Amino acid sequence: MQTSESTSVPTSAAPPTEAERRAAHEINKLSKRLHRQVGQAITDYNMIEEGDRVMVCLSGGKDSYSLLDILLNLQQRAPINFSIVAVNLDQKQPGFPAEVLPAYLKSRGVDFHIENQDTYSVVKRVIPEGDTMCSLCSRLRRGILYRVAGELGANKIALGHHRDDFLGTVFLNLFFQGRLKGMPPKLVSDDGRHTVIRPLAYVAETDIERWAAHRQFPIIPCTLCGSQENLQRVQVRKMLREWDQKFPGRIDNMHRAFSHVVPSHLMDRKLFPFETIRPTGQADPMGDKAFDHDDDEDDDACATPAAAEAGLPAEAAISLEALRRTLSPSSPFLPAQD
């Protein structure tokens, strides 16, 4: 007796919805932007060279995961050959899931090393409860990672600090240290043996958050500094986030200022010889226009009374004022027009 068997015909997958297409488009744009910005930072500061062995410090947070992920992608299409080794310092924090990072790194097929050092107990023993732990924790971690880099033959140490970290450091130094100092994208390590690089220097933290969510990194929260909400750095980060929301573009402009420094317009005598400058008698197109209006004043305030009475637009008024200063060396002292 023959029996008939029914065979199910596989149905084709449903086409993506409009929302799914838009989401995929946005992620593609984000990916291109992140890889372009990291590649640009590496190029601008010559961070990675032929034959380098780059030790990527992996904490288990969104920043270091994103750094490793992007560097691995760039490594595949870079015009130079360099190797990557991921290193995690297991500080023996209570409840730290020691199996998470090795499992992830094995899945990526990347060379890695887990360094086990109980710095957690040292920090908790030395720092009184409620005080900031970051400084001591950072010094201990830095010394260990320098040693590990030497043992692994790594000449470059890559850290996951991003654009917002750079800005936050400037304001921390400005507010609490009385100095204009930021976070360099590239420097020589304290021991003089390695080069420390920060390839995420151009990357916004919000983009890293989106990338980490998209890539579904197994994030491991820090129970030391990550749990201290009263940190000055945390307060500065909140301030920057509020500015970014209220004034789009402000953070980008501030970050851009890092690479457009004018030492002659600051006050550091070690950077510019204020004591020895003298008039040369030659016009300097880049010289200071000491009596000009500040750039942040309203355009209408830059118009001369005569220009305003003539009904000229603000742009024309500014041009007229600039022309008058050009024609007359004493133009800053010209009397007001009747």
Side-chain angles (χ1 to χ4, degrees):
M1 181 179 178
Q2 293 182 342
T3 59
S4 61
E5 297 181 0
S6 61
T7 58
S8 58
V9 179
T11 58
S12 59
T17 63
E18 181 61 27
E20 290 172 338
R21 283 195 295 268
R22 283 199 303 268
H25 176 68
E26 289 302 316
I27 286 297
N28 185 53
K29 285 171 54 180
L30 174 62
S31 176
K32 289 181 178 179
R33 181 166 64 251
L34 289 173
H35 289 79
R36 182 183 68 252
Q37 289 173 336
V38 173
Q40 189 65 56
I42 292 173
T43 301
D44 287 349
Y45 297 97
N46 195 28
M47 293 184 181
I48 300 177
E49 302 170 87
E50 178 70 34
D52 277 348
R53 183 160 175 78
V54 182
M55 185 179 95
V56 179
C57 298
L58 191 65
S59 66
K62 67 183 188 322
D63 304 333
S64 58
Y65 269 125
S66 297
L67 172 62
L68 176 64
D69 187 46
I70 295 170
L71 285 181
L72 288 173
N73 293 337
L74 291 177
Q75 184 187 36
Q76 301 303 314
R77 55 178 187 255
I80 60 173
N81 294 312
F82 65 94
S83 61
I84 293 175
V85 55
V87 170
N88 169 253
L89 173 58
D90 185 344
Q91 299 176 273
K92 299 306 175 186
Q93 298 179 21
F96 182 79
E99 72 287 349
V100 171
L101 283 172
Y104 172 79
L105 294 168
K106 288 177 182 176
S107 72
R108 294 301 306 268
V110 61
D111 187 16
F112 71 92
H113 171 76
I114 306 295
E115 180 71 14
N116 295 283
Q117 295 286 338
D118 189 2
T119 61
Y120 178 87
S121 297
V122 175
V123 172
K124 297 296 287 185
R125 183 178 69 251
V126 174
I127 303 297
E129 192 66 31
D131 286 2
T132 302
M133 308 175 195
C134 292
S135 180
L136 176 59
C137 182
S138 177
R139 288 198 303 271
L140 294 172
R141 186 171 62 248
R142 184 166 63 245
I144 293 169
L145 291 173
Y146 286 168
R147 172 181 58 79
V148 171
E151 294 173 354
L152 297 177
N155 64 318
K156 300 285 178 68
I157 300 175
L159 304 179
H161 298 115
H162 46 69
R163 182 200 69 176
D164 299 61
D165 290 324
F166 280 59
L167 281 168
T169 300
V170 169
F171 282 105
L172 284 171
N173 280 303
L174 193 65
F175 293 162
F176 305 108
Q177 300 296 329
R179 58 185 177 183
L180 195 57
K181 178 183 176 182
M183 181 182 286
K186 180 181 179 183
L187 70 153
V188 176
S189 61
D190 295 355
D191 60 6
R193 300 171 53 200
H194 308 94
T195 301
V196 178
I197 60 175
R198 296 181 168 104
L200 299 181
Y202 295 163
V203 178
E205 184 174 25
T206 50
D207 280 350
I208 292 176
E209 291 170 349
R210 291 178 57 204
W211 187 249
H214 167 67
R215 299 289 285 168
Q216 298 182 333
F217 298 135
I219 304 297
I220 303 173
C222 175
T223 57
L224 276 173
C225 60
S227 60
Q228 295 183 280
E229 289 300 319
N230 62 331
L231 292 180
Q232 294 167 344
R233 184 173 291 277
V234 174
Q235 301 307 315
V236 168
R237 184 181 298 120
K238 290 180 179 178
M239 177 190 74
L240 292 174
R241 283 296 179 96
E242 290 177 0
W243 282 356
D244 199 27
Q245 293 170 0
K246 293 180 180 179
F247 310 102
R250 172 179 289 188
I251 302 300
D252 290 330
N253 284 336
M254 289 191 297
H255 185 258
R256 193 176 299 114
F258 290 170
S259 56
H260 293 81
V261 178
V262 184
S264 63
H265 286 51
L266 297 175
M267 297 176 65
D268 193 331
R269 290 175 293 148
K270 297 185 294 296
L271 296 180
F272 191 80
F274 295 100
E275 302 92 335
T276 59
I277 60 174
R278 297 289 186 275
T280 64
Q282 301 296 321
D284 181 2
M286 299 303 294
D288 183 31
K289 299 174 179 59
F291 296 94
D292 286 6
H293 289 283
D294 292 336
D295 291 339
D296 58 352
E297 291 186 13
D298 292 336
D299 285 346
D300 289 339
C302 296
T304 63
E309 290 178 6
L312 293 175
E315 295 80 6
I318 296 171
S319 300
L320 176 61
E321 187 64 45
L323 178 61
R324 293 175 65 226
R325 284 196 295 267
T326 301
L327 294 176
S328 173
S330 59
S331 59
F333 302 100
L334 285 176
Q337 301 294 314
D338 293 332

